[in-house]
Amino acid sequence: MKFSRALCEKSCCTETTTQPEPMVDKEEPLFSSLDIFLFTLIIGLVIYWFMNRKKPEPIPEFKKAPTTRETSFIEKMKKMGKNIIVFYGSQTGTAEEFANRLSKDAQRYGMKGMAADPEEYDMGELSRLSEINNSLAIFCMATYGEGDPTDNAQDFYDWLQENDDENLSGLNYTVFALGNKTYEHYNAMGKYVDKRLEELGATRIFDLGLGDDDGNLEEDFVSWREQFWPAVCEHFGVEALGDESSIRQYELKEHPDINMNKVYTGEIGRLKSFETQKPPFDSKNPFLAPVTVNRKLNKGGDRHLMHLELDITGSKIRYESGDHVAVFPTNDPALVKRLGEILGVNLDTVISLNNLDEESNKKHPFPCPTTYHTALTHYLDITHPPRTNVLYELAQYATDPKEQENMRKMASSSPEGKALYQSWVLDASRNIVAILEDLPSLRPPIDHLCELLPRLQARYYSIASSSKVHPNSIHICAVVVEYKTKTGRINKGVATNWLKNKVVTDNGYKSTVPMYIRKSQFRLPFKATNPVIMIGPGTGIAPFMGFIQERGWLKEQGKEVGETVMYFGCRHKNEDYLYQEELEEAESNGVLTKLNVAFSRDQEHKVYVQHLLRNNKEELWKLIHTQNAHIYICGDARNMAKDVQTAFHDIAEDLGNMTRTQATDYIKKLMTKGRYSQDVWS
């Protein structure tokens, strides 16, 4: 922190004009009355200045200010009488949600738990957990991207890697990992934490749980949790209290006469941060970027693919090709209004939900005070199907015994309950509004519903521009999500529909998008002479528009640039050939060495990018094996990325004279060297 001190100088200047005295014969006194008056005045002014001058301020003694938050989780647990701590590594909020559920569970087993963000505490204190009787550390760790820790768990990950001599022999622990099987490094972070803690001497008291978001993450968690708590009881010799009643974490306070300047209106962190913007901008302090371009990319078809440009002039935000832009969307106003109607509440009521645990770092579930309307619009997720714990807690408010029974059944781990939850909630894509509409006896208090609903999360998009060409602009390429559910309702993707409606000027005002940058490892080669092979069907083309712009800029600077090969795929040439003009121009001016496009539905047999890869296997193998080419894949993880990887296995096996195992290892080594990068989503 830098301190600056302003020094002010004050000077006075008095100008006096006197007329010459007439000559007289008698001897003049030494000082005339005017001289005496002026002398007295000057002396008086000097005395006044000395008496009233600003004395130099003493240099303050900088004593260590009391810490505003406790960084010792051990001292906090002792102070609060807690013996279970649940750390979460969370990027989208799910791991944090699971951690909160586990910490609340502890109360049902005669224990006291707390959820904790590892970023806020000194994780070197894990070795001290043995100072607390019957203590246990639970880790809910999500994996982000290509096997990376989440942002808030990065420091913890570094600590685990760097401290080989740490002795954690007194630590009891268990890990539940959150990941997605379609990714190459499935649950890498959770697996690493589980293995590393054991290496450092800690005692695992229950098996590692693996949650798969490609399947049913909620079911994986519930099944693990049902077996976990009996194991805890057995290990510590305790019994469940049998208290299955709802445990509230927050209490409602209404503010009928509050000054509205003190009420949050959608800000993520600092109050009024959307009115007075101050850098640096990050996940807790997003920048309101004006929308300068919002155009439809596709020429036909029943989908809406869009290109947006956000102005970051004056924000000091910097980005590189391959980075992600995170945007904070808002919920559909019609959905919010409908929720208020069903529950019969005035959504403009100003409220706070205050944590009943006064020692908790998390004072509120979302920024408070605020209105129900703001909370349901900006802070809470009302569009995703609710998890089983929400149904379980809400069941008590269903006055129809059959409806209450079904809700409790869906929240259980029984095969029948799991099947019911899968079919009635997940397969039917019922959000909380649909559930309330279809269960007429269920009318929970809105404050309890707001406590239970998860936070609305930022959405990440691969940036479709290069800062070398567009230093003050960030481009987004996205497809609007909208579909009909099995119940006949139309469900809309939160962020894409919100972005679609961000017209450049709205009633004379510039539309803005709260955003920040998340750095990525998806980077062009350090050496521009290295060839690059880019594979991105559909909106997976986004980061490659930035790559192409950057390679073009390098050529303009007179730099030698290696071959730049693009594989793009879409359904129909005349409908959704995204950025056709830009791509063809890049090919014609030599920025793109070769442009390969697969139109999957323009002929009888479907043609995808992996088919084109196999067709061009000789030239691809030459680029990869002899010219040190870097391969980049962006798009769907479940199908496309796997099919493309299989195609590269086939090419290596065929042209490299390898066995299947050798070909697979060859591609894995490219990944390890940073020459095979994926930016994929499921």
Side-chain angles (χ1 to χ4, degrees):
M1 190 180 293
K2 294 183 179 177
F3 294 90
S4 61
R5 179 164 38 183
L7 301 175
C8 300
E9 272 189 11
K10 189 164 58 173
S11 64
C12 297
C13 180
T14 306
E15 183 178 308
T16 308
T17 305
T18 56
Q19 296 295 325
E21 293 286 327
M23 293 289 292
V24 287
D25 290 335
K26 68 177 182 176
E27 192 177 356
E28 291 281 339
L30 188 61
F31 297 105
S32 69
S33 57
L34 179 60
D35 290 335
I36 293 168
F37 171 74
L38 289 173
F39 184 76
T40 306
L41 180 62
I42 290 167
I43 293 293
L45 286 170
V46 168
I47 292 169
Y48 179 83
W49 182 78
F50 268 104
M51 295 291 289
N52 294 280
R53 67 175 177 161
K54 188 174 181 181
K55 295 180 176 65
E57 293 183 10
I59 297 172
E61 264 187 73
F62 285 102
K63 295 178 182 174
K64 191 170 181 181
T67 310
T68 52
R69 66 178 170 81
E70 180 67 75
T71 58
S72 169
F73 64 84
I74 297 293
E75 298 308 318
K76 189 162 191 175
M77 289 174 75
K78 287 179 178 178
K79 184 179 177 182
M80 298 161 63
K82 309 278 189 183
N83 64 331
I84 292 181
I85 185 162
V86 194
F87 292 106
Y88 56 85
S90 188
Q91 197 70 31
T92 62
T94 307
E96 181 181 0
E97 185 188 331
F98 285 0
N100 282 319
R101 286 162 69 174
L102 289 167
S103 68
K104 283 175 75 173
D105 282 346
Q107 194 168 326
R108 296 193 173 103
Y109 297 90
M111 305 181 193
K112 293 189 78 176
M114 63 178 272
D117 183 341
E119 197 172 36
E120 295 184 353
Y121 294 101
D122 176 8
M123 297 304 285
E125 288 199 325
L126 282 173
S127 59
R128 292 183 56 205
L129 204 58
S130 57
E131 296 174 16
I132 298 170
N133 288 335
N134 286 354
S135 60
L136 170 65
I138 306 170
F139 297 85
C140 289
M141 307 307 293
T143 298
Y144 185 78
E146 295 306 301
D148 302 321
T150 57
D151 290 349
N152 76 312
Q154 183 65 55
D155 290 344
F156 175 45
Y157 176 74
D158 294 341
W159 180 84
L160 285 173
Q161 284 194 310
E162 293 161 6
N163 289 276
D164 286 331
D165 56 349
E166 194 71 35
N167 180 9
L168 299 182
S169 56
L171 173 68
N172 296 312
Y173 80 95
T174 192
V175 179
F176 183 81
L178 298 85
N180 189 307
K181 266 187 180 162
T182 59
Y183 288 76
E184 181 73 24
H185 304 282
Y186 172 55
N187 270 324
M189 181 60 180
K191 290 173 181 176
Y192 175 74
V193 171
D194 180 62
K195 177 172 169 281
R196 186 62 173 146
L197 291 174
E198 183 182 44
E199 288 173 353
L200 296 175
T203 303
R204 182 191 298 107
I205 69 159
F206 190 66
D207 295 338
L208 167 69
L210 297 174
D212 178 18
D213 200 30
D214 186 49
N216 188 328
L217 184 59
E218 173 72 11
E219 184 178 313
D220 294 337
F221 175 69
V222 170
S223 298
W224 177 86
R225 177 171 160 249
E226 292 278 326
Q227 299 170 63
F228 164 68
W229 283 113
V232 172
C233 290
E234 185 179 346
H235 186 274
F236 292 115
V238 296
E239 291 183 10
L241 301 179
D243 180 14
E244 294 297 316
S245 61
S246 173
I247 301 167
R248 291 293 298 265
Q249 190 178 351
Y250 299 93
E251 64 177 349
L252 172 68
K253 180 176 173 59
E254 294 188 359
H255 305 281
D257 302 315
I258 195 169
N259 180 343
M260 293 307 287
N261 283 325
K262 296 180 179 177
V263 177
Y264 282 88
T265 56
E267 307 94 322
I268 307 302
R270 177 175 55 87
L271 186 67
K272 302 295 179 188
S273 62
F274 285 170
E275 292 179 19
T276 310
Q277 293 261 276
K278 295 176 184 175
F281 297 105
D282 54 29
S283 59
K284 294 182 174 64
N285 181 37
F287 175 66
L288 286 181
V291 177
T292 55
V293 173
N294 187 348
R295 62 185 172 90
K296 188 176 180 180
L297 281 172
N298 51 317
K299 304 177 184 72
D302 54 2
R303 298 184 301 164
H304 183 102
L305 295 111
M306 56 189 170
H307 171 90
L308 282 92
E309 297 183 13
L310 308 179
D311 186 1
I312 55 170
T313 304
S315 67
K316 298 183 180 176
I317 288 173
R318 299 287 177 266
Y319 74 95
E320 292 182 59
S321 301
D323 282 343
H324 299 133
V325 57
V327 302
F328 288 92
T330 59
N331 287 312
D332 183 348
L335 213 54
V336 174
K337 183 182 177 186
R338 179 67 183 133
L339 198 50
E341 289 170 352
I342 293 170
L343 297 179
V345 295
N346 177 7
L347 294 179
D348 293 326
T349 306
V350 181
I351 58 111
S352 288
L353 286 179
N354 301 324
N355 202 320
L356 290 163
D357 183 350
E358 294 180 0
E359 297 292 334
S360 174
N361 280 12
K362 191 173 183 180
K363 302 300 180 189
H364 316 284
F366 44 78
C368 291
T370 190
T371 64
Y372 285 124
H373 189 275
T374 298
L376 293 168
T377 302
H378 294 272
Y379 301 137
L380 297 171
D381 188 341
I382 61 173
T383 58
H384 273 108
R387 299 195 187 279
T388 56
N389 67 303
V390 176
L391 299 182
Y392 179 85
E393 298 258 6
L394 293 181
Q396 62 184 304
Y397 301 112
T399 54
D400 182 318
K402 185 65 178 171
E403 290 182 359
Q404 186 175 113
E405 181 190 347
N406 280 336
M407 289 183 72
R408 292 201 187 280
K409 188 185 292 180
M410 285 189 284
S412 75
S413 59
S414 70
E416 187 185 357
K418 287 178 181 178
L420 184 59
Y421 176 72
Q422 181 68 43
S423 63
W424 198 78
V425 178
L426 298 182
D427 294 345
S429 302
R430 278 185 171 90
N431 57 34
I432 190 62
V433 173
I435 285 171
L436 292 172
E437 285 178 339
D438 293 345
L439 298 176
S441 86
L442 178 64
R443 293 298 177 262
I446 191 169
D447 63 292
H448 198 180
L449 182 64
C450 287
E451 175 180 326
L452 293 171
L453 290 173
R455 282 290 296 267
L456 183 60
Q457 299 293 328
R459 300 318 200 250
Y460 298 90
Y461 295 94
S462 300
I463 296 176
S465 54
S466 165
S467 60
K468 300 286 193 297
V469 181
H470 300 283
N472 294 315
S473 181
I474 285 173
H475 300 181
I476 295 174
C477 169
V479 58
V480 176
V481 177
E482 187 171 319
Y483 60 95
K484 182 177 277 192
T485 71
K486 290 182 177 179
T487 64
R489 295 178 171 92
I490 300 297
N491 276 9
K492 296 180 178 181
V494 179
T496 53
N497 280 275
W498 169 75
L499 286 171
K500 178 187 174 185
N501 294 320
K502 287 286 178 182
V503 291
V504 176
T505 52
D506 190 2
N507 293 327
Y509 294 97
K510 285 184 177 178
S511 289
T512 57
V513 170
M515 52 72 65
Y516 70 96
I517 298 299
R518 190 183 195 279
K519 294 295 177 185
S520 167
Q521 300 301 315
F522 201 71
R523 289 277 183 268
L524 278 168
F526 180 73
K527 291 182 179 177
T529 51
N530 285 124
V532 298
I533 301 161
M534 304 173 291
I535 303 146
T539 55
I541 195 173
F544 302 132
M545 295 308 297
F547 282 13
I548 292 165
Q549 289 172 14
E550 189 144 328
R551 301 280 270 195
W553 180 84
L554 288 167
K555 285 177 82 76
E556 285 176 5
Q557 304 303 305
K559 299 280 173 60
E560 185 184 346
V561 178
E563 289 194 46
T564 306
V565 181
M566 178 79 223
Y567 284 84
F568 173 67
C570 60
R571 295 178 182 181
H572 302 283
K573 183 175 182 178
N574 295 326
E575 286 186 6
D576 53 357
Y577 187 173
L578 308 184
Y579 300 109
Q580 180 180 357
E581 294 80 10
E582 291 93 328
L583 291 173
E584 290 177 350
E585 183 186 347
E587 186 182 34
S588 67
N589 62 27
V591 174
L592 271 179
T593 314
K594 190 170 182 184
L595 173 61
N596 307 275
V597 187
F599 304 109
S600 62
R601 302 181 188 183
D602 273 351
Q603 59 284 313
E604 188 178 345
H605 300 292
K606 289 185 178 177
V607 177
Y608 296 115
V609 285
Q610 60 267 27
H611 299 132
L612 301 188
L613 293 172
R614 287 189 177 92
N615 292 344
N616 300 330
K617 61 184 179 181
E618 284 83 5
E619 62 185 68
L620 283 168
W621 182 246
K622 184 181 175 185
L623 287 171
I624 297 164
H625 196 60
T626 63
Q627 297 182 32
N628 208 34
H630 287 231
I631 302 165
Y632 299 92
I633 297 147
C634 183
D636 164 50
R638 185 179 287 112
N639 299 308
M640 183 276 298
K642 283 185 175 179
D643 292 340
V644 165
Q645 193 166 322
T646 300
F648 279 115
H649 290 158
D650 293 343
I651 293 169
E653 188 177 355
D654 186 16
L655 298 178
N657 295 317
M658 301 178 188
T659 65
R660 193 62 175 187
T661 304
Q662 289 172 328
T664 304
D665 288 343
Y666 182 87
I667 299 301
K668 279 189 176 174
K669 280 178 185 172
L670 292 182
M671 292 177 181
T672 306
K673 292 176 181 176
R675 286 181 51 206
Y676 190 108
S677 303
Q678 299 184 93
D679 182 2
V680 293
W681 56 84
S682 180

